[in-house]
Amino acid sequence: MKSLLLCAALAVFLPASAMAQDRYAERPPLVVSPDLSAPWVMQLQRAPHGAPIREQTVRRQVAPGARMAVAPAPIIRQRSVVIAPDPVHTAAMAPAAPRSAAPQMDPIFLPQEVAYTGREKPGTIVIDTNAKFLYLVQEGGTARRYGVGVGKEGFSWRGSETITRKAEWPGWTPPAQMIARERAKGKILPAHMPGGPENPLGARALYLGSTLYRIHGTNAPWTIGQAVSSGCIRMRNEDVTDLYERVKVGTRVVVS
């Protein structure tokens, strides 16, 4: 009977003693499940706006003797994604499209001194509508030649007139026939347009006799050398200004 009681006492004492000693035993490392750590790792790996997300591996080292360690995070594989740029921002940052070059006048129509063998006396203006040149006859068998624009088909004319008036930066009053003609083509002309850089008569005007024709400047210098006008003789503003200073009212003008 005593033996049975002793065995029972030992059975009770020994587990309690073992549990007491186990309290001070070394604990195994604590492992955090990848299911819990993965979202935090993904947040740390988030790429900047517009950059592709690259494959990364995140590993945390455990110092010797540490009581707690985190299991290595799984490799996060993400498909490369590039965010398309904002079209409005892209358009604003894009370089401006190059402007198309303005039409250029043929250099042959620039002013120059040339030989003159015609019969008109010095001081006369001679206009060759076929060649698109205006000559101011000078002494010594020479002439100052300028390029001009002349009347288009159906509006050209020939004859002799004199300069009856000169004007600087003239205003423009389109004739009634021109207003009606342009209206039929869908273009509305003003009843009057004051002088200025945008005025079709340009910087200077030399009025020919009692006609509606003039030798004048232009706001479209690239048309010099062409048959484009309604009968007037047009010049570059620089050239008509030069001619204006060289001639006076009463000068004879021959158009051929």
Side-chain angles (χ1 to χ4, degrees), residues 113-118 120-123 136-144:
E113 300 290 325
V114 299
Y116 177 74
T117 58
E120 301 299 335
K121 64 180 183 180
L136 174 59
V137 181
Q138 302 178 134
E139 300 286 350
T142 65
R144 185 164 179 80

Side-chain angles (χ1 to χ4, degrees), residues 7 14 19 25 32 55-56 93 117 127 147 152 173 185-186 210-211 217 222-223 237 247 250:
C7 288
L14 287 175
M19 291 176 63
V32 179
E55 179 181 296
Q56 297 184 11
M93 296 299 293
T117 58
I127 300 171
K152 55 192 171 184
T173 301
K185 295 188 292 186
S210 59
T211 71
W222 56 88
T223 62
N237 284 337
V247 299

Side-chain angles (χ1 to χ4, degrees), residues 219-230:
N219 59 356
W222 56 88
T223 62
I224 300 304
Q226 302 177 38
V228 291
S229 77
S230 295

Side-chain angles (χ1 to χ4, degrees), residues 31-250:
V31 177
V32 179
S33 169
D35 293 339
L36 296 176
S37 64
W40 298 98
V41 174
M42 288 182 68
Q43 289 189 28
L44 294 174
Q45 295 181 135
R46 186 166 296 167
H49 180 72
I53 299 176
R54 297 181 175 85
E55 179 181 296
Q56 297 184 11
T57 302
V58 178
R59 299 183 183 279
R60 297 186 60 183
Q61 301 296 330
V62 180
R67 296 180 59 82
M68 177 176 142
V70 178
I75 296 175
I76 308 299
R77 296 183 182 276
Q78 295 288 341
R79 186 162 52 89
S80 180
V81 177
V82 179
I83 299 176
D86 180 2
V88 175
H89 177 73
T90 302
M93 296 299 293
R99 294 182 179 178
S100 57
Q104 298 296 314
M105 183 187 74
D106 190 325
I108 195 174
F109 295 111
L110 292 174
Q112 54 186 294
E113 300 290 325
V114 299
Y116 177 74
T117 58
R119 64 187 183 197
E120 301 299 335
K121 64 180 183 180
T124 304
I125 293 175
V126 178
I127 300 171
D128 184 339
T129 56
N130 290 327
K132 315 312 190 282
F133 288 124
L134 180 151
Y135 300 87
L136 174 59
V137 181
Q138 302 178 134
E139 300 286 350
T142 65
R144 185 164 179 80
R145 190 184 75 182
Y146 307 86
V148 296
V150 299
K152 55 192 171 184
E153 185 176 356
F155 291 88
S156 60
W157 60 282
R158 288 169 173 78
S160 177
E161 295 289 346
T162 58
I163 296 175
T164 53
R165 186 162 73 92
K166 297 169 61 177
E168 299 184 8
W169 295 106
W172 179 45
T173 301
Q177 302 94 317
M178 179 183 290
I179 292 176
R181 186 170 61 248
E182 294 300 317
R183 183 185 294 117
K185 295 188 292 186
K187 183 177 180 180
I188 305 301
L189 296 181
H192 178 78
M193 186 175 185
E198 299 304 317
N199 192 301
L201 298 185
R204 303 288 187 272
L206 306 171
Y207 295 80
L208 302 179
S210 59
T211 71
L212 296 176
Y213 301 129
R214 312 166 185 84
I215 299 171
H216 62 77
T218 182
N219 59 356
W222 56 88
T223 62
I224 300 304
Q226 302 177 38
V228 291
S229 77
S230 295
C232 287
I233 307 301
R234 64 174 64 173
M235 306 175 69
R236 294 192 315 160
N237 284 337
E238 303 94 316
D239 298 344
V240 76
T241 300
D242 180 69
L243 179 65
Y244 185 94
E245 299 299 328
R246 295 173 183 268
V247 299
K248 58 185 179 181
V249 171

